[in-house]
Amino acid sequence: MPNIKSAEKRVLVTKTKAMKNKMVKSNLKTYIKKAEAAIEANDANKTDAVRLAIKKIDQCCAKGIIAKNTAARRKSALALKLNKVG
């Protein structure tokens, strides 16, 4: 436990930010899973699901929650899956 008051505040701020980042990452994973499920089921709205997932990936990248290359890799994987189905 920190002895300095500013260090105690930093611990609280770090914990809050980590919880928010975890929530956003979890939400992102949910959108990616929904898109993948739509692709596998060959739903009519699979392109919309993929488009929404890519939008969420871009938002996470812009906020700095995931790295730029990670975002590119995930978007590419979704696009490849979508293109394989046709």
Side-chain angles (χ1 to χ4, degrees), residues 54-74:
I54 288 175
K55 179 181 176 183
K56 293 295 180 180
I57 290 170
D58 286 335
Q59 287 175 345
C60 285
C61 181
K63 290 179 183 177
I65 294 172
I66 60 174
K68 185 173 71 171
N69 286 346
T70 303
R73 186 178 67 244
R74 289 184 180 175

Side-chain angles (χ1 to χ4, degrees), residues 16-51:
T16 305
K17 285 184 178 182
M19 286 173 52
K20 184 177 179 186
N21 288 345
K22 187 174 182 181
M23 179 185 68
V24 173
K25 276 186 183 181
S26 176
N27 193 17
L28 173 65
K29 289 178 188 177
T30 302
Y31 278 103
I32 291 172
K33 285 180 186 177
K34 284 181 183 178
E36 288 174 347
I39 291 170
E40 288 179 16
N42 205 8
D43 286 344
N45 62 349
K46 62 186 172 197
T47 54
D48 293 333
V50 170
R51 191 174 296 132

